[in-house]
Amino acid sequence: MPLCEPGDHFASLVFSNVFSGVAWEGGTSSCTESQHTASEHPSHSVSELQMQCVRAWRSLNYLCRVAHHRAWKRTQSHTTAARLDLSGIYPPIATPFTAKEDVDYQKLEENLQKYAKIPFKGLVVQGSNGEYPYLTVEERVEVVRTVKQSLPAGRLLIAGSGCESTRATIQLTQKMAAAGADAVLVVTPCFYKGKMDSRALIHHFTKLADSSPVPVVLYSVPANTGLELPLDAVVELSQHPNILGVKDSGGDITRIGLIVHKTKAQDFQVLAGSAGFLMAAYCVGAIGGVCALANVLGQELCELERLCVSGRWEEARVLQQRLIEPNAAVTRKLGVPALKQAMEWFGFHGGSCRSPLQPLTEAESQQLRRDFSSNGWL
């Protein structure tokens, strides 16, 4: 295959920029006979013109190879995005810490061994419940690398790589891919939320998806960011071949249904962002869920998925209702400290959070226990 196809605009541009003293036709060189060229450029000797031709061709040769390599990388990433099936349940795993607030990799490994016995589709690492805003970049990458080493074959690893700037998000995404992530979950930038309109967010996610070596999953979590990824932005971004889907944690079922409806022409996958509305999300076309409660009741969330997929809606309804209160307790009501406390009750390592997050008060802990016990879980 030629390095650049005849008529290639890229080739024409390079030729015209690298060497303007020779005529080029249709994107290919037309260095004419020496006497004719010399007569047009009397200040140049024939040998000088020939050397310029050689230099121009070498430059084009190199740049075309770079262009084809980049195109190949994009094709590989986009092909992977088209193949990757996200359907199923994922716990956004917590990050255990030592008493000194260092990442406790031993306890993380022990949690991973227990999760391996539950039929999850995969794990989300460094999502909101992993306390990613409080970890350094190096810690975030090392946690992903540790999880990858313990993950059973066939299970997906989705790594949170969102940062405030597009540049930092691209850099961290590349590091997460190198650490073993199969895809990245990317939260909306939110510090300057007043300027994060559809135009800014489409630009951000498009630049990321253009350069990411792995597929991208959009992440809208307005409870934490104060910003909902606009519907029109989701629809436009769904057309990008390297944007695989969205995790929507807002809980608006009409919005989730609209996303499914308006992206049905694309191979775009919608994940519910919470166990509290998982069944409802399946009803309107979601294909799975990333659910904090799966850290505690993983087997039960996988059972709810099975019931929904098999159309056993009455049984699904009964189970879903029993999950609403405990899910609310470990998410919007009491947050990550409550999730970690519940994990301890159910045989996992939760432990304390990294400061400034504080442990539950005694009253909060009692309320948390009631939310689980009144629904038959404790």
Side-chain angles (χ1 to χ4, degrees):
M1 185 178 73
L3 291 175
C4 288
E5 297 294 333
D8 190 325
H9 173 70
F10 178 77
S12 301
L13 183 63
V14 173
F15 275 136
S16 61
N17 287 339
V18 174
F19 180 46
S20 59
V22 179
W24 304 97
E25 298 175 359
T28 57
S29 68
S30 61
C31 292
T32 56
E33 294 181 359
S34 299
Q35 292 85 349
H36 176 69
T37 306
S39 67
E40 289 184 349
H41 307 278
S43 62
H44 293 173
S45 68
V46 171
S47 61
E48 287 174 338
L49 288 168
Q50 288 174 333
M51 286 303 298
Q52 289 187 37
C53 282
V54 169
R55 285 195 295 270
W57 177 251
R58 285 176 176 169
S59 297
L60 176 69
N61 190 342
Y62 168 74
L63 290 170
C64 283
R65 286 183 184 275
V66 170
H68 278 292
H69 177 65
R70 288 175 178 167
W72 177 84
K73 283 181 69 179
R74 287 195 299 272
T75 300
Q76 292 298 102
S77 179
H78 298 170
T79 300
T80 301
R83 288 199 310 266
L84 207 57
D85 175 14
L86 296 179
S87 60
I89 301 299
Y90 303 78
I93 65 171
T95 304
F97 295 107
T98 67
K100 294 183 178 180
E101 296 193 2
D102 296 323
V103 176
D104 194 328
Y105 290 101
Q106 180 178 345
K107 288 185 177 179
L108 175 61
E109 292 270 10
E110 291 172 7
N111 282 346
L112 294 173
Q113 291 171 14
K114 294 177 181 179
Y115 289 144
K117 300 174 183 177
I118 302 172
F120 294 131
K121 182 60 175 282
L123 304 178
V124 168
V125 188
Q126 291 304 295
S128 302
N129 291 282
E131 300 175 64
Y132 79 86
Y134 297 163
L135 272 66
T136 66
V137 168
E138 292 75 19
E139 286 174 325
R140 290 175 71 177
V141 174
E142 185 57 32
V143 169
V144 168
R145 185 177 293 111
T146 299
V147 173
K148 182 65 175 182
Q149 291 170 352
S150 297
L151 198 65
R155 296 201 181 180
L156 298 180
L157 193 165
I158 304 177
S161 65
C163 301
E164 281 299 305
S165 76
T166 306
R167 179 187 179 94
T169 303
I170 290 172
Q171 291 174 346
L172 184 54
T173 294
Q174 292 169 342
K175 291 177 180 178
M176 291 303 196
D182 298 296
V184 287
L185 180 69
V186 184
V187 70
T188 50
C190 62
F191 187 80
Y192 299 107
K193 63 175 62 68
K195 300 300 292 182
M196 291 298 103
D197 56 12
S198 292
R199 183 171 69 96
L201 293 169
I202 289 169
H203 175 77
H204 172 75
F205 283 110
T206 299
K207 283 198 71 175
L208 168 65
D210 283 345
S211 63
S212 175
V214 293
V216 173
V217 179
L218 311 174
Y219 183 17
S220 181
V221 54
N224 288 351
T225 63
L227 173 71
E228 189 167 65
L229 184 58
L231 178 63
D232 65 302
V234 176
V235 173
E236 181 165 339
L237 290 166
S238 73
Q239 300 174 49
H240 194 292
N242 203 30
I243 295 180
L244 190 59
V246 62
K247 176 195 173 187
D248 194 304
S249 297
D252 184 343
I253 293 302
T254 59
R255 169 185 157 90
I256 291 175
L258 268 179
I259 292 173
V260 172
H261 176 63
K262 290 182 176 292
T263 61
K264 61 186 177 184
Q266 315 299 328
D267 184 17
F268 193 71
Q269 304 174 67
V270 179
L271 294 165
S274 183
F277 53 87
L278 183 61
M279 175 184 166
Y282 270 110
C283 286
V284 296
I287 52 84
V290 180
C291 307
L293 192 61
N295 283 287
V296 179
L297 298 175
Q299 195 72 50
E300 290 75 13
L301 265 294
C302 291
E303 174 64 10
L304 180 56
E305 177 219 5
R306 189 181 68 83
L307 293 172
C308 291
V309 170
S310 61
R312 295 163 63 181
W313 297 111
E314 182 58 30
E315 294 170 82
R317 181 182 62 81
V318 173
L319 178 54
Q320 174 67 89
Q321 290 174 343
R322 294 177 60 211
L323 296 171
I324 293 173
E325 284 185 311
N327 177 76
V330 301
T331 55
R332 61 181 176 83
K333 282 172 61 176
L334 300 171
V336 179
L339 175 66
K340 286 190 159 184
Q341 176 63 72
M343 288 175 66
E344 294 287 339
W345 293 341
F346 284 84
F348 298 94
H349 295 297
S352 60
C353 297
R354 184 172 273 184
S355 180
L357 283 178
Q358 294 296 297
L360 298 181
T361 65
E362 182 60 31
E364 289 172 332
S365 183
Q366 290 175 3
Q367 179 60 58
L368 177 65
R369 182 172 286 277
R370 283 195 297 271
D371 287 335
F372 275 88
S373 60
S374 65
N375 290 281
W377 302 118
L378 281 174

